[in-house]
Structure formats: C-alpha cells, structure tokens
Amino acid sequence: MPDERAFLNALVRRRQTPRGLATRARVILLSADHPEWTLSDIGQHVGLCDDTVSVWRRRFIQSGIDGLSDAPKSGAPRSIQDQRVEQVVRLTLDTPPENATHWSTRSMAKVSGLTQSAVHRIWQAFGLRPHLTSSFQLSKDPLLIEKVRDIVGLYLSPPDRALVLCVDEKPQIQALERGSTTFPMQLGQEERNGHTYIRHGTTTLIAALDARVGTVIGRCYPRHRTVEFLDFLEEIDRRVPSELAVHVILDNYITHKTRAVQGWLVLHPRYTFHFTPTSGSWLNLVESWFALLSRRRLRRGDFHSKDDLEQAIEAFIAQNNEHPQPFVWKRSADDILDSIRRFCLPYLGTSIS
C-alpha cells in the first residue's frame, strides 16, 4: 500500500524513531524492494539474524504496521493485592507501633506479613517517610496577614527615595578556641576536628542588611539591651544619607519597643519600624545573612579571644560590602498566605481568610 510505504519511509528517516522500530521498517522495505533477496541477504543489510527477519515479516503480514511494535509484556502476576496495600498505608498513618515512635520497614513487615522491600515500595509509591520529621512554628499573631503583606510589599516594591533595612541581633556568639588538633582535608577525606574547646566569652552582633544591594551595617556589643540598640540606631543614622526615608524591618524583641526607642523615633521622623509577625522572624532577610555568616566564618572558626572573634566578624562584613550580593525575595504575600492555608486545612481543620 502506498500509505504504508510512505509511513515506513518516514519511520526510517525520522531521527526520533526508536532504533529497533526503524530497523523493522527497513526489513519490510527491503523485502518489498528486493523480493529476490533471501532472509540472510536482508539480515546482513540490517544486522539481524534470519529468524528475527522472518518474525517481523510474518507479523507485518498478519497485523500491518501495528505488528512492528513491541507486544505488551504481561510480566508476573501481582502478588500483593490492593487490600494489603491499603492495610500498610492505614497502619502507617493511623496506628503507632508498639514501644516505638514510628514505623520502620522491619517492624511494618513483621506486622503486615510482607517483605521489607515490599513495604518500602508501598511507602515510596504513597510518599510515606515515617523516619523523617520536620518542625514548624505557626504564628498566632492576630495581625499576621497585615504584617506579611506589609513586609513582603517592602521587599517586592520598595518606596521611592527610601531605604529598606532588615535589622536584628545575633546574640551569644561564642569565641571558641579549638582545644584539639585539626586534621586538614585530604583527597577522599573531609576535615576532622576534635570535640574539645576553650571558651573565651561571647559577643552580640547587631546588623542591618540592605537586601536590595546586599551591604551590611554591623557592630559587636557585649550585651543587647536598649542602650546598645539605640547606639546602633545612631550608627545607622550617621551612615544613611539624610535625604532618604528609612524603613526598618525587625522582630518583636522587647528592646525594640521600649519607651526610649519610641522617643528616639519621635526625634527621627524619617524612620518607620515594621515588625514581623510573632514567630515570623523568617520574614526578616537579615536572618539569611546571619546563616551565611555562621556557615562561612563562625561554625568552624578558631578564636583565641573575644577580640579575635569580633575582628573576624568585622572582616567578614568588610569583605561582604566590597562584593555585595543582593538578597532577592521571590514569594508574594498571597503565595505565603496560601501555604499557611494549605497547612491549616488538613491539620487544624481551619483556614485563614
């Protein structure tokens, strides 16, 4: 048939055609174009044995082009029926194991009568991971929605002729001197540190992050009281151009709301404080910068005094400001509130509006 020939030629020419299907199409075309050729002649041209050429010619005669496709493979019959799968899922979700906090494949296999591999496959199919847990903190702030929209709005659409600063304290940073030998990284082996250390006191870092640019204003203090916070506000005021309004994002720590701080705001009307929701410090981008500081400079640092620690922090800030990287907020307020809503519905049977 002309239509079949055109289709077979298209299969052979098309790059996306699976190699096996293209070879079978060539077998049929060679058989039609060279009726005098034997099975061995065709097999030599396409790289198949005589029996395989004979099989595909016979299947094409019986079923046409559909006969060139692989036949469905039946495989072994199911040994685990839906009722037993449902039993495993129900036990995992609704019934805690005896004398344990969560199921393991071994304990579930013992109770269900299945193999550990079968239990693992069922859990994988339904996205069940009993060995994992994660923490959460749901804000109970009655102004949660308003505060989320306010702060996210500052990130996504900052006001004209204004600076948005993310301010917070990182208290009790320990100056730890490693008391044991550190073995440096080698090929195939990570760096190794001992467990002993010597404490040389603590310091508190107060920092203000300009997320749009990535620069940081930071100072270390022995304590974090109202006095230190006011001193840091004065430091910000000296370093921010006087023609700019300043929007400060900060948490609900008590030193941020004292009468002395409120009086300072009265005397400095270009400043506006925006408080994150209760248990919502993740909205403050300076927390991401604190994590960067801990990961890159503090966690594996070796400090022989508190001054040594503070100099390291100041050097990190200076280097950060020489090559700043913006902190880009991507999620909208609606996305965040939708996430909270999706969490509340299945677990708490309620929602936020």
Side-chain angles (χ1 to χ4, degrees):
M1 297 286 291
D3 292 343
E4 288 182 336
R5 175 177 286 275
F7 187 79
L8 291 171
N9 282 318
L11 288 178
V12 172
R13 291 194 302 266
R14 192 169 56 199
R15 293 184 178 180
Q16 290 79 9
T17 302
R19 182 177 179 182
L21 182 57
T23 301
R24 297 163 200 169
R26 289 181 62 201
V27 167
I28 305 305
L29 289 172
L30 289 173
S31 299
D33 295 338
H34 303 280
E36 73 281 4
W37 283 11
T38 64
L39 297 178
S40 297
D41 294 334
I42 297 173
Q44 289 177 0
H45 276 77
V46 298
L48 298 177
C49 66
D50 297 359
D51 291 341
T52 304
V53 172
S54 176
V55 167
W56 291 116
R57 285 173 49 155
R58 184 170 60 252
R59 286 185 50 178
F60 180 78
I61 293 171
Q62 293 172 352
S63 306
I65 292 176
D66 292 339
L68 301 181
S69 301
D70 291 324
K73 298 177 174 60
S74 59
R78 288 184 59 185
S79 59
I80 304 174
Q81 301 305 315
D82 292 343
Q83 293 83 355
R84 301 193 72 183
V85 174
E86 182 181 2
Q87 177 195 19
V88 170
V89 174
R90 288 295 180 189
L91 282 172
T92 306
L93 293 176
D94 301 336
T95 307
E98 185 177 357
N99 298 322
T101 59
H102 60 278
W103 291 100
S104 65
T105 55
R106 188 184 301 275
S107 60
M108 180 58 73
K110 184 177 181 180
V111 171
S112 64
L114 301 176
T115 64
Q116 286 183 248
S117 298
V119 171
H120 175 72
R121 289 196 300 271
I122 294 171
W123 281 353
Q124 192 173 40
F126 286 88
L128 298 174
R129 295 179 289 179
H131 64 291
L132 296 182
T133 182
S134 60
S135 60
F136 79 98
Q137 180 63 56
L138 190 62
S139 175
K140 299 180 181 179
D141 196 316
L143 298 177
L144 169 66
I145 297 175
E146 291 81 358
K147 290 181 177 180
V148 168
R149 294 193 182 280
D150 176 40
I151 293 174
V152 173
L154 288 175
Y155 290 146
L156 298 180
S157 299
D160 295 332
R161 298 191 60 77
L163 181 66
V164 178
L165 293 178
C166 305
V167 176
D168 200 6
E169 297 89 357
K170 185 174 179 61
Q172 300 296 310
I173 306 173
Q174 297 189 73
L176 299 180
E177 178 183 352
R178 306 301 170 183
S180 55
T181 303
T182 296
F183 295 93
M185 177 177 60
Q186 298 181 5
L187 295 176
Q189 177 179 298
E190 69 277 7
E191 178 183 298
R192 295 184 177 182
N193 296 308
H195 295 283
T196 60
Y197 54 84
I198 303 171
R199 289 192 178 99
H200 292 292
T202 63
T203 189
T204 292
L205 170 65
I206 307 181
L209 168 70
D210 179 0
R212 186 181 60 84
V213 178
T215 55
V216 173
I217 301 172
R219 290 190 65 178
C220 292
Y221 295 92
R223 302 174 68 178
H224 54 292
R225 303 166 299 176
T226 300
V227 174
E228 287 78 17
F229 184 63
L230 286 173
D231 181 75
F232 185 69
L233 289 177
E234 292 289 349
E235 175 71 14
I236 293 174
D237 196 50
R238 285 191 294 270
R239 297 174 63 170
V240 174
S242 58
E243 66 273 10
L244 294 178
V246 183
H247 295 267
V248 180
I249 298 171
L250 65 174
D251 62 19
N252 295 275
Y253 188 52
I254 187 62
T255 58
H256 302 159
K257 299 181 177 182
T258 61
R259 184 172 299 178
V261 173
Q262 294 174 6
W264 188 90
L265 290 175
V266 171
L267 297 176
H268 300 78
R270 69 176 178 137
Y271 285 81
T272 304
F273 279 9
H274 303 262
F275 293 100
T276 61
T278 306
S279 304
S281 59
W282 46 270
L283 275 170
N284 195 335
L285 278 175
V286 75
E287 298 291 348
S288 298
W289 186 85
F290 283 153
L292 194 68
L293 169 66
S294 297
R295 187 167 61 249
R296 293 186 177 177
R297 190 63 186 92
L298 301 180
R299 189 172 299 156
R300 292 163 60 177
D302 184 16
F303 308 108
H304 298 269
S305 66
K306 189 172 74 169
D307 289 341
D308 191 13
L309 169 64
E310 292 179 351
Q311 290 172 11
I313 294 174
E314 291 169 359
F316 185 86
I317 294 174
Q319 184 184 46
N320 175 91
N321 292 342
E322 287 179 5
H323 307 284
Q325 294 292 327
F327 285 69
V328 181
W329 187 275
K330 296 183 178 180
R331 298 191 67 186
S332 68
D334 288 338
D335 288 340
I336 296 171
L337 297 175
D338 283 343
S339 297
I340 299 174
R341 183 181 294 107
R342 288 194 298 270
F343 174 84
C344 292
L345 282 174
Y347 289 104
L348 305 179
T350 184
S351 179
I352 60 174
S353 57

